[in-house]
Amino acid sequence: MSTKGPQVTVTVQRGGPEGPGRKQQFQVPAYGSQTVLDVVSWIQQNADPTLTYRFACRVGMCGSCAMMVNGVPRWTCRTHVSKVLQDGAMELAPLRSLPVIKDLAADMDPFFDKWVSAEALHHPTASRDDPIAPIDPDAPERVTASAGIECINCAVCYAACDTVANNPDYLGPAALQRAWTLYNDSRDGAHGAILDAVTGTGGCQSCHSMGSCTAYCPNGLDPLSAIAGLKRAATRRFFGKGKG
Amino acid sequence: MSEFHLYMAQRLSALVMAPFVLVHIGVMIYAIQGGLSAAEILGRTQGSVFWFLFYGMFVVAVSIHAAIGLRTILSEWAGLRGSALNITALAIGAILFAMGAQAVYAVTATGAA
């Protein structure tokens, strides 16, 4: 490949589940409006076809392509190289706090297992034979729920969270935020089970309110406030008040 | 005791401690203004049921609060788990209580005026 024109120096963490392997450096041609995912794809297509990474939609909807860019978790398809370069270089690594499948592809299983552990799944109150439940979009609980439903499951918050990094039991911001949206959803039929799940080992009480989840969420969501909401709801229940 | 109960115990002990801390610091600053000697201070605290209850409850709250907080830190920073974690935290709470109780006893209960 041509090495003329402006170049970006990219260091990529290679390796598999046995632990981080060597770091490999690539010189990648720089383009205007180039995203970090463009850089990774260029390496895979032009320099080293064995480089493993994950992506799907390329437009910030699917949550597949998150990785550590210069030590910070980012959705790489919507991150411009020009915004993250440090002295003309950047370093890429798989998402923090998750096992590695290979190179830049993290194993998302623990992340999604914790969604289930947090009861962050819908508990139906009606069947398909029932009439569609009317939902008032302006009802306070619905507004609270709606604030958190645009999560794309990218695990950027999970990788950003120092509590996740230090406490393997902690359910993490995404699962807890999902649980909070369902707790505020009038169609969900197991608010008590949700509170039981999010106050178990590694539940909402493990959060230290450091706020990295909210600071790094690429969709501008606020898991920190969602977790604070769960803490308040669980405290109300502790004193015999509130629902659930 | 579940993690959430420990969380509530730590919050409630903080709630108890907050006014105690303010009164403790306020009285300390007030007491040294006129150059009170240790003997004069002890003369006011020894035999005082109020100060015995005040600092007695303070010590209980501190022991609970600090032991739970250090339990979290030991878990996240030192990787302690299971019974090693719980026994260490309990020991910390017991040592803090013993030291505090000894001080409260010396300052308020002995040598009743």
Side-chain angles (χ1 to χ4, degrees), chain A residues 20 70 88 158 171 174 186:
Chain A
N70 288 334
Y158 191 85
L171 296 171
S186 59

Side-chain angles (χ1 to χ4, degrees), chain A residues 168 202 205-206 208 231 234, chain B residues 3-5 7-8 72 76 81:
Chain A
Q205 73 279 351
S206 304
H208 297 308
K231 288 175 178 172
Chain B
E3 256 188 36
F4 186 73
H5 286 124
Y7 168 86
M8 286 309 301
T72 302
E76 291 190 16
R81 294 278 182 276

Side-chain angles (χ1 to χ4, degrees), chain A:
Chain A
M1 289 302 296
S2 165
T3 53
K4 289 173 186 161
Q7 303 272 313
V8 178
T9 303
V10 185
T11 307
V12 179
Q13 177 69 59
R14 306 297 298 264
E18 69 284 351
R22 68 202 159 95
K23 287 182 178 174
Q24 197 175 358
Q25 209 168 69
F26 299 94
Q27 292 295 321
V28 180
Y31 304 112
S33 300
Q34 190 176 23
T35 66
V36 175
L37 183 62
D38 291 337
V39 166
V40 178
S41 295
W42 187 94
I43 294 171
Q44 202 267 340
Q45 288 164 13
N46 299 289
D48 185 349
T50 68
L51 178 68
T52 302
Y53 64 112
R54 187 192 286 121
F55 76 97
C57 77
R58 297 176 298 163
V59 290
M61 291 179 70
C62 75
S64 303
C65 68
M67 54 186 88
M68 306 301 285
V69 181
N70 288 334
V72 171
R74 292 184 181 279
W75 53 355
T76 55
C77 71
R78 297 288 300 271
T79 302
H80 278 121
V81 171
S82 57
K83 296 239 172 89
V84 294
L85 275 187
Q86 290 174 352
D87 300 325
M90 66 179 170
E91 186 164 337
L92 304 177
L95 280 176
R96 189 171 75 136
S97 302
L98 287 167
V100 177
I101 296 174
K102 182 171 171 286
D103 299 337
L104 298 172
D107 181 355
M108 305 291 280
D109 277 358
F111 175 72
F112 287 114
D113 287 346
K114 286 178 177 178
W115 283 56
V116 179
S117 300
E119 287 293 335
L121 38 105
H122 183 50
H123 311 87
T125 50
S127 75
R128 69 185 65 196
D129 302 319
D130 294 304
I132 293 172
I135 299 294
D136 175 8
D138 297 322
E141 285 207 320
R142 186 61 239 170
V143 170
T144 303
S146 296
I149 57 172
E150 295 294 344
C151 174
I152 59 171
N153 321 348
C154 65
V156 161
C157 59
Y158 191 85
C161 177
D162 284 343
T163 308
V164 168
N166 293 318
N167 179 357
D169 294 329
Y170 180 45
L171 296 171
L176 290 171
Q177 175 171 252
R178 179 69 178 148
W180 175 239
T181 64
L182 291 165
Y183 181 77
N184 285 286
D185 192 330
S186 59
R187 295 164 297 180
D188 191 281
H191 292 155
I194 292 172
L195 275 194
D196 288 343
V198 301
T199 53
T201 301
C204 63
Q205 73 279 351
S206 304
C207 166
H208 297 308
S209 305
M210 286 183 282
S212 295
C213 50
T214 297
Y216 289 102
C217 175
N219 260 347
L221 304 185
D222 187 6
L224 175 66
S225 296
I227 297 167
L230 286 174
K231 288 175 178 172
R232 280 195 299 275
T235 303
R236 275 196 297 274
R237 187 173 74 159
F238 180 80
F239 289 113
K241 292 179 179 171
K243 65 180 182 180

